[in-house]
Amino acid sequence: MKHLLTALVLVTLCQQLSAQSAQQPNILVIISDDHAYQGISAYGSRFAQTPGIDRLAKEGALFTSAYVTNSLCGPSRATFLSGKYSHLNGFKDNTQSDFDFNQDLFVKRLQAAGYQTAWVGKMHLGDRTPQGFNYYEILPGQGQYYNPDFIASGGVRKHYEGYVTNIITRLSENWLNNREPDKPFCLVVGHKATHRTWMPDLQDLGAFDGQQFPLPSDFYDTYATRKAAQVQDMTVEKTMRLAQDLKIFPSREAENKMPAINRMTPAQRKVWDAYHDRIKQEFEQQHLTGKALTEWKFQRYMNDYLSTAKSLDRNISALLDYLDQHDLAKNTIVIYMSDQGFYMGEHGWFDKRFMYEESFRTPMVMRYPGVIQPGTRITDFIMNLDLAPTLIEAGKGQLPDSLQGRSFLPLLKHQAYTPHKALYYHYYENGEHSVSPHFGVKTGRYKLIRFYQKVDAWELFDLEKDPQELKNIYRDPASAAIVTDLKKQLAQLIDQYKDEEARKIFNTPAAD
Ligand code: SGN
Ligand code: CA
């Protein structure tokens, strides 16, 4: 009798658990690094096909106006995890910050609600031990494209032979295979691709050979009226290196000194060198200088970048196939996003950081069977800040008071939802690529930016008349009323998000 009772209790408990997990969707978030929407066919890319990402967009929603709080790798991931701006989560830049995992994180709230959680791949949040994950296996710092090292739960060092994007997918699948199947899961897959120095899987080398990429119309931007754009160091012309970035080394000895390349196995190296030796030969025969050289660099950059993205997209497809094969697709939210946008030659640039559209805006697609209608297009403003509350709410967790974002689940469910009218941005790092720190506000039509430290100046753009943000109209007498109104909105956002540092700068007149 006693045994029968125990068995009955156990059966009821199991039933409750599986009923609970049916209400609690699994969550898979794939975050790439520096993947520009300009190179994604779901966003209308003219030069590349991304069937994996397109599949998600077709079966779910494409967000056309998703933005980040601070366009840089670590700060973006810190905001994603904490649901707070950089000044409150403490991770302002990649150079001086070390993430404090003791703070409230959406994954901790999901764990408390019964989820098993994991992060596999690039995290890039400093050296402290990650918290909030039942399992992690992450790249140290930026990680390596070939034969990468990983740090697994408990600080265990691992080394795998192969190409990083494929390995991250394999490790993710391993974790899914070995998880506790009765519990809902939340898995974050952090990819290194498509980060500089843009190295594709060997099978994708030269995938875009023969294709001519049109120069963006503002490739030869002279940066008139924009002081911060004048002092940056992120141009294809001057900043992009022929050797490390585009793999045209003066000699084999020089190539052998590059850690990303000399860690390859002899077999990998043979394929790699056969391809690049040919490119180098073609390059040297042309004796390029001036604009011809810059445009050749642009073509090579596009080729390497998009080939790396092709390897990434194939791995996104592979994970979607895994969900299908394991009967998980129906009950799993899948989000694909980049940590920020990226320049593909616009303004003559690569890299990110600026509050200008190409870097501020990020690609984001989301599939949520039974909630999001296939083929949905969401044009409302969304921020990476909103993901933490959205995912906690979807997982039936408790929302902490500290969150600065807000859930967009009601928007997906066609329930009462007030979209963001204006977005607040703050970039801090004053170092590599020489982008002046700045903060600002974006509304449906305008963008007002205050630069400080390197450059002390305001900029205003009318995005309707000037979507490429080429003409700073801050000083135009006709802009006076708009400036007053936007400054009011900016001051409100600074208050709302409690950004004391920005408030002080806002209250100090700019030097010009
Ligand atoms: C490296 C890159 C930079 C890049 C930062 C930050 N230089 O330092 O070009 O902006 O990472 O990128 S490299 O010579 O080492 O490639 S982030 O995505 O991690 O924020
Ligand atoms: Ca990044």
Side-chain angles (χ1 to χ4, degrees):
M1 185 64 189
K2 206 168 148 203
H3 286 308
L4 192 67
L5 258 180
T6 320
L8 264 176
V9 169
L10 268 177
V11 168
T12 324
L13 258 176
C14 283
Q15 279 170 344
Q16 271 172 0
L17 258 179
S18 61
Q20 188 189 19
S21 54
Q23 297 161 2
Q24 291 179 296
N26 300 311
I27 297 167
L28 169 63
V29 184
I30 307 172
I31 306 184
S32 61
D33 202 308
D34 297 359
H35 194 194
Y37 54 84
Q38 303 94 299
I40 298 177
S41 37
Y43 282 94
S45 174
R46 286 168 301 152
F47 14 83
Q49 290 305 312
T50 46
I53 299 170
D54 293 14
R55 177 180 168 193
L56 274 178
K58 219 181 293 155
E59 295 173 358
L62 178 92
F63 291 79
T64 63
S65 307
Y67 289 84
V68 297
T69 58
N70 181 356
S71 179
L72 205 58
C73 179
S76 168
R77 284 162 184 73
T79 290
F80 163 63
L81 276 175
S82 66
K84 292 183 291 198
Y85 271 89
S86 309
H87 58 278
L88 293 193
N89 70 43
F91 203 99
K92 292 179 173 176
D93 58 34
N94 279 342
T95 47
Q96 322 211 353
S97 310
D98 205 359
F99 192 63
D100 177 8
F101 284 92
N102 289 314
Q103 59 194 301
D104 221 321
L105 308 173
F106 84 86
V107 277
K108 292 187 183 175
R109 295 288 166 154
L110 290 179
Q111 279 182 319
Y115 276 73
Q116 267 201 302
T117 62
W119 187 307
V120 176
K122 184 173 177 183
M123 184 184 255
H124 203 201
L125 283 175
D127 297 327
R128 295 186 191 150
T129 304
Q131 292 176 34
F133 300 101
N134 295 74
Y135 187 73
Y136 64 85
E137 189 155 1
I138 56 178
L139 296 168
Q142 295 280 11
Q144 292 287 347
Y145 273 112
Y146 279 90
N147 310 328
D149 295 320
F150 282 80
I151 303 165
S153 289
V156 185
R157 218 55 204 203
K158 304 217 176 170
H159 178 82
Y160 301 98
E161 200 173 288
Y163 180 66
V164 71
T165 312
N166 305 335
I167 294 168
I168 290 170
T169 304
R170 198 174 70 223
L171 298 178
S172 302
E173 294 180 359
N174 284 350
W175 182 76
L176 288 169
N177 287 337
N178 293 315
R179 75 192 199 280
E180 289 175 47
D182 293 337
K183 290 186 178 172
F185 69 79
C186 172
L187 168 63
V188 183
V189 179
H191 280 294
K192 172 175 173 63
T194 50
H195 195 272
R196 196 181 182 192
T197 54
W198 318 298
M199 294 170 76
D201 187 354
L202 293 177
Q203 62 175 303
D204 296 315
L205 278 176
F208 292 84
D209 278 359
Q211 195 163 319
Q212 274 294 311
F213 299 99
L215 281 185
S217 60
D218 54 5
F219 187 75
Y220 288 113
D221 190 353
T222 56
Y223 315 124
T225 71
R226 287 152 293 144
K227 288 234 158 73
Q230 288 161 22
V231 304
Q232 52 61 43
D233 178 23
M234 48 192 261
T235 60
V236 173
E237 183 196 356
K238 297 201 179 94
T239 320
M240 191 175 281
R241 304 158 300 192
L242 214 44
Q244 297 97 319
D245 289 323
L246 302 178
K247 299 95 185 173
I248 303 296
F249 292 91
S251 64
R252 189 71 83 211
E253 292 70 49
E255 184 189 359
N256 287 342
K257 285 195 189 123
M258 186 168 165
I261 293 182
N262 66 25
R263 61 188 295 115
M264 288 184 181
T265 64
Q268 292 166 341
R269 194 61 196 275
K270 207 168 149 208
V271 182
W272 183 266
D273 281 346
Y275 176 74
H276 289 98
D277 287 354
R278 179 172 65 74
I279 300 290
K280 186 180 167 186
Q281 212 179 14
E282 284 168 14
F283 172 70
E284 285 176 345
Q285 278 162 3
Q286 296 178 67
H287 305 287
L288 301 170
T289 54
K291 276 191 173 177
L293 174 60
T294 306
E295 290 177 23
W296 185 90
K297 287 170 78 181
F298 170 72
Q299 295 298 331
R300 275 316 305 162
Y301 163 53
M302 294 292 278
N303 202 310
D304 281 357
Y305 183 97
L306 292 171
S307 306
T308 309
K310 186 176 160 81
S311 314
L312 168 70
D313 188 77
R314 178 168 51 250
N315 276 278
I316 296 167
S317 291
L319 264 190
L320 297 181
D321 290 346
Y322 176 97
L323 295 182
D324 289 339
Q325 285 150 14
H326 294 79
D327 200 22
L328 289 166
K330 282 194 306 296
N331 194 31
T332 303
I333 294 175
V334 184
I335 294 176
Y336 172 74
M337 62 191 286
S338 174
D339 58 349
Q340 11 69 206
F342 208 70
Y343 291 94
M344 299 185 75
E346 299 84 3
H347 305 283
W349 295 340
F350 66 100
D351 213 65
K352 55 265 179 172
R353 300 161 192 268
F354 277 107
M355 196 192 167
Y356 306 140
E357 287 298 289
E358 292 86 351
S359 40
F360 182 24
R361 199 180 136 202
T362 191
M364 181 170 140
V365 292
M366 179 175 184
R367 186 175 78 179
Y368 191 173
V371 173
I372 300 177
Q373 287 292 315
T376 299
R377 230 181 140 79
I378 294 181
T379 54
D380 296 270
F381 286 152
I382 295 292
M383 294 208 94
N384 59 347
L385 189 69
D386 301 327
L387 282 162
T390 304
L391 296 177
I392 295 172
E393 199 175 303
K396 313 266 183 303
Q398 287 281 322
L399 286 171
D401 296 334
S402 58
L403 286 172
Q404 293 191 307
R406 69 176 127 110
S407 168
F408 55 84
L409 206 60
L411 169 69
L412 305 178
K413 292 183 166 172
H414 304 288
Q415 293 166 352
Y417 173 80
T418 320
H420 293 278
K421 283 217 301 285
L423 301 179
Y424 180 62
Y425 179 83
H426 195 160
Y427 168 81
Y428 299 83
E429 192 170 292
N430 192 8
E432 195 178 4
H433 296 303
S434 202
V435 172
S436 186
H438 56 287
F439 56 86
V441 57
K442 173 188 159 79
T443 63
R445 175 158 179 190
Y446 295 101
K447 192 182 288 179
L448 178 74
I449 311 176
R450 170 66 184 265
F451 288 93
Y452 65 96
Q453 277 185 18
K454 208 176 281 299
V455 163
D456 192 9
W458 288 96
E459 288 184 2
L460 172 69
F461 299 97
D462 181 340
L463 299 168
E464 219 168 86
K465 290 194 185 143
D466 175 27
Q468 289 167 289
E469 299 160 292
L470 297 171
K471 193 165 179 254
N472 171 16
I473 53 169
Y474 180 77
R475 298 230 161 267
D476 281 14
S479 303
I482 300 293
V483 167
T484 308
D485 174 56
L486 288 173
K487 282 195 174 168
K488 209 169 120 197
Q489 293 199 51
L490 181 56
Q492 270 164 9
L493 290 170
I494 287 172
D495 281 350
Q496 180 188 330
Y497 293 123
K498 305 186 177 66
D499 190 346
E500 304 302 336
E501 194 179 333
R503 196 197 320 262
K504 274 191 220 123
I505 297 157
F506 178 87
N507 288 332
T508 315
D512 38 58

